[in-house]
């Protein structure tokens, strides 16, 4: 319940209220479940996301790394939660200009998701979109474009054109095309 309330506050950008709740949820999880429990990894990811949203990247990174370590050990290297951890860490690295470090993590997240969820799953499309965004940032547009197209195809088939995720990826692709035309 504490973690859910913290996430609710974070969703409302009430970061100052959310942070102590996240920290308390982590502490309780470690005490009750053990420091290496997947639920603790989830809570670490949530706090790291809040810290990232408030520009506190140096504080967020070790939390993302610890969550990844926990999930790899507890759930295995090919579990969707492990892919989620790779994706979160890659996003932080990309946001801080460390694209060379981020790319293999995005690729690993995609590999796990394709294997665990199947190639037509919406989660795979999100991983593809994230990788395409990184390739766009690094001016590798010829690699990025087919990825955007694949992600959109998956999302249209699985979620439909009116789903917010589909709309977001389409908007990302449209922004990519506009940026490419300006170059």
């Amino acid at each position: 319940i504490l973690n859910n309330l913290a996430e609710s506050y974070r969703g409302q950008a009430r970061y100052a209220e959310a942070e102590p709740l996240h920290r308390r949820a982590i502490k309780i999880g470690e005490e009750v479940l053990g420091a290496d429990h997947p639920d603790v990894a989830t809570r670490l990811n949530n706090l790291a996301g809040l810290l990232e949203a408030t520009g506190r990247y140096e504080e967020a990174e070790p939390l993302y790394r610890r969550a990844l370590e926990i999930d790899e050990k507890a759930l295995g290297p090919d579990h969707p939660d492990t892919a989620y951890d790779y994706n979160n860490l890659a996003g932080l690295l990309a946001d801080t200009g460390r694209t060379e470090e981020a790319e293999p993590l995005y690729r690993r997240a995609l590999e796990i998701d394709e294997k665990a969820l199947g190639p037509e799953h919406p989660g795979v499309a999100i991983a593809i979109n994230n990788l395409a965004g990184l390739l766009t940032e690094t001016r590798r547009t010829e690699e990025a474009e087919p990825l955007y197209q694949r992600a959109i195809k998956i999302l249209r088939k699985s979620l439909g054109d009116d789903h917010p995720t589909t709309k977001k990826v389409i908007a990302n692709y449209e922004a990519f095309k506009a940026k490419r035309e300006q170059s």
Side-chain angles (χ1 to χ4, degrees), residues 128 132 140-151 173 176:
I128 292 168
R140 293 159 58 196
T141 58
E142 284 162 23
E143 291 177 68
E145 185 162 24
L147 292 176
Y148 281 123
Q149 292 169 343
R150 179 177 171 214
Y173 182 48
F176 158 83

Side-chain angles (χ1 to χ4, degrees), residues 24-42:
R24 181 78 178 128
I26 291 167
K27 184 176 181 189
I28 291 169
E30 289 172 335
E31 291 171 357
V32 174
L33 304 170
D36 294 330
H37 194 280
D39 285 353
V40 172
T42 299

Side-chain angles (χ1 to χ4, degrees), residues 161-178:
D161 283 341
D162 293 330
H163 193 277
T165 302
T166 307
K167 289 180 178 183
K168 180 177 181 181
V169 174
I170 290 171
N172 290 346
Y173 182 48
E174 294 299 325
F176 158 83
K177 290 190 303 185

Side-chain angles (χ1 to χ4, degrees), residues 51-181:
L51 295 171
E52 184 177 4
T54 59
R56 294 159 61 191
Y57 304 115
E58 290 180 9
E59 293 176 66
E61 184 176 344
L63 299 178
Y64 281 141
R65 289 189 185 278
R66 183 169 165 223
L68 173 60
E69 183 180 308
I70 291 169
D71 281 342
E72 275 190 320
K73 183 178 176 184
L75 303 174
D78 296 324
H79 192 278
D81 287 358
T82 304
Y84 182 76
D85 299 333
Y86 274 113
N87 185 70
N88 286 344
L89 179 56
L92 175 92
L93 295 172
D95 288 347
T96 57
R98 295 160 61 191
T99 56
E100 287 183 20
E101 292 176 69
E103 183 176 345
L105 302 181
Y106 274 140
R107 290 189 184 280
R108 180 67 179 126
L110 175 57
E111 176 187 348
I112 294 167
D113 281 342
E114 284 179 319
K115 183 177 179 182
L117 305 173
E120 300 298 317
H121 192 277
V124 170
I126 292 167
I128 292 168
N129 174 72
N130 293 342
L131 177 58
L134 179 85
L135 294 171
T136 300
E137 284 181 39
T138 58
R139 294 179 170 78
R140 293 159 58 196
T141 58
E142 284 162 23
E143 291 177 68
E145 185 162 24
L147 292 176
Y148 281 123
Q149 292 169 343
R150 179 177 171 214
I152 291 167
K153 182 179 177 185
I154 292 168
L155 291 170
R156 282 184 162 150
K157 183 177 179 183
S158 60
L159 301 177
D161 283 341
D162 293 330
H163 193 277
T165 302
T166 307
K167 289 180 178 183
K168 180 177 181 181
V169 174
I170 290 171
N172 290 346
Y173 182 48
E174 294 299 325
F176 158 83
K177 290 190 303 185
K179 185 176 182 179
R180 184 185 61 198
E181 288 174 12

